[in-house]
Structures are given as structure tokens and as C-alpha cells.
Amino acid sequence: SQQGEEDPQALSIQEGENATMNCSYKTSINNLQWYRQNSGRGLVHLILIRSNEREKHSGRLRVTLDTSKKSSSLLITASRAADTASYFCATVPQGGSEKLVFGKGTKLTVNP
Amino acid sequence: GAVVSQHPSRVICKSGTSVKIECRSLDFQATTMFWYRQFPKQSLMLMATSNEGSKATYEQGVEKDKFLINHASLTLSTLTVTSAHPEDSSFYICSARGQGRDTEAFFGQGTRLTVV
């Protein structure tokens, strides 16, 4: 089952611009994670943000979490062509479940 | 980050045969492993969650007799697609996580299964 819904579904920008992707989810969570996937490959973990955290940074990545709105955003600053990939949010629900459930993803294209 | 090795990366099999996909955590103990299926240009659909030494928990709509999951050790989980049919053709991805739900999951490179 899908938990998160990312928007936009596709985003095309120029190198150097910032890219913002959003994720909304439906149930209470323990944490939310962002992953990146290059075409036809496995996923790479980017950032994990816990339900009691509001913002996290890692290099050019900034993630925010608003549990009252059940939403998160991923900002990539000063984008590069190499950032072209699909980006997914995934949630671990609150409670005993071990699940890691993915949203639909945003396809980001960074044009040189 | 930690390494998860998934094999094979590609497999073509005949309809009616079974295919086994292996997922190994190379440098950490994977308390929990996940198996996903991904259709072209779509997200990952969780098939099942398995904890070492116990039976896998399958998601609704996933046939446990068709997709056999074994997680016999802390470093290895296998997914066997039994009596494969063309509609089982897909990209299958495994993921492994250490103890605790606040730990990140590491992903294998995926297996492209084509059933002819």
C-alpha cells in the first residue's frame, strides 16, 4: 500500500536552480525518509527525519517535516545535472509495524 | 553506507519455472528485510517484511505461496517466485535494515525478472 504522495510528479529545472519536492502522508509516523533512485537501479538513502524533528540538513539537501499537516519537503539547492533521478519519500508508521512504505515519487530532471 | 548485494541483477525464465533472488547484507546484521516490486515509472510496492528467523509478513494482495520469502540468517534473505508467469515480470528490489525502526534501510541494486 502507498502511504506517501509526492508532488510534483515530475520537475524539470536548470542547473544551479533549487528543486523542491513535497510529500504528504496519511497516518502517524515514527520517521520519514527520503531516497533517490537512478533509472533502473536500487535506491540510495538521503535523509531520515524523526517525528519529533522539524528540519534536517545534509550537504545541499534540506528536509522539513510538519507532522500537523502530515507533510515533508525535500529541497536540493544549487542543483546539478547529476541530481537527475527519481526521489521518493518513505514512512515508518507509528506503532509496532516495521514497514517502510514508499510514496509515488518525483522525477527530477536537471538540465545542463 | 552499508552494502546490500542482490543477485541476480537480471534473469529471464520460462513460464512455469521458479526463480530465486538473493539479498545479502555484506557488512551489517539485517534484522529486518523488505521485498518490493516496482513497475516501470512507478513507485516501489511493498510485498513483504521479514524478520530473521520468523515468517514474513505479506502485504494484502500478495500471494505468499507464489512469492516465497526466507530470512534464515541475519545476512541473507531470499525471494522465490514460484511457477512464474509473464505477469510476474517486473523489477524486484530488496532492502535491509539493522535493529530499530529509526535506522535507515539499505537497498540492493534490484533484479529485472522477465518471464517468457
Side-chain angles (χ1 to χ4, degrees):
Chain A
S1 58
Q2 302 267 4
Q3 159 82 308
E5 295 275 342
E6 284 93 329
D7 77 87
Q9 291 188 348
L11 180 62
S12 182
I13 59 174
Q14 295 299 122
E15 252 187 335
E17 294 180 341
N18 296 340
T20 300
M21 290 160 270
N22 302 296
C23 166
S24 61
Y25 56 92
K26 297 174 183 173
T27 62
S28 295
I29 61 170
N30 178 281
N31 65 69
L32 183 145
Q33 304 174 34
W34 283 90
Y35 288 83
R36 164 199 168 120
Q37 183 183 35
N38 287 81
S39 181
R41 306 292 299 276
L43 277 74
V44 174
H45 183 267
L46 298 176
I47 288 186
L48 181 154
I49 185 165
R50 294 179 175 79
S51 61
N52 61 353
E53 297 175 312
R54 291 297 165 257
E55 189 172 310
K56 250 188 161 176
H57 297 256
S58 176
R60 294 184 295 114
L61 307 180
R62 174 177 167 251
V63 168
T64 62
L65 178 64
D66 187 335
T67 52
S68 67
K69 294 181 180 177
K70 290 188 169 60
S71 68
S72 173
S73 68
L74 170 67
L75 168 67
I76 303 174
T77 60
S79 63
R80 306 165 182 167
D83 294 329
T84 295
S86 290
Y87 292 82
F88 296 92
C89 70
T91 54
V92 175
Q94 213 167 62
S97 174
E98 295 279 352
K99 291 183 190 184
L100 180 62
V101 182
F102 282 78
K104 294 182 178 178
T106 293
K107 175 77 175 90
L108 173 66
T109 303
V110 182
N111 301 299
Chain B
V3 177
V4 174
S5 175
Q6 184 174 342
H7 291 283
S9 58
R10 288 178 178 273
V11 58
I12 301 173
C13 71
K14 290 185 178 179
S15 210
T17 61
S18 295
V19 173
K20 181 184 282 190
I21 302 169
E22 286 191 353
C23 181
R24 293 180 185 273
S25 58
L26 298 185
D27 51 4
F28 71 104
Q29 293 187 326
T31 308
T32 306
M33 284 191 168
F34 306 94
W35 286 95
Y36 295 88
R37 181 172 180 175
Q38 186 177 32
F39 292 100
K41 298 184 179 179
Q42 293 191 27
S43 185
L44 283 73
M45 183 188 77
L46 180 64
M47 299 174 67
T49 303
S50 73
N51 290 297
E52 182 262 341
S54 59
K55 288 184 180 180
T57 302
Y58 288 80
E59 293 298 299
Q60 195 171 15
V62 178
E63 298 175 58
K64 61 182 179 182
D65 294 332
K66 179 162 187 65
F67 298 100
L68 300 178
I69 291 171
N70 184 284
H71 190 171
S73 77
L74 284 170
T75 58
L76 174 64
S77 177
T78 60
L79 167 67
T80 301
V81 182
T82 62
S83 187
H85 290 282
E87 56 265 31
D88 299 324
S89 298
S90 192
F91 192 58
Y92 293 87
I93 307 177
C94 73
S95 172
R97 187 173 71 195
Q99 192 152 18
R101 293 182 296 148
D102 269 5
T103 54
E104 64 185 270
F106 298 95
F107 284 77
Q109 288 300 300
T111 297
R112 173 74 58 195
L113 170 64
T114 303
V115 185
V116 298

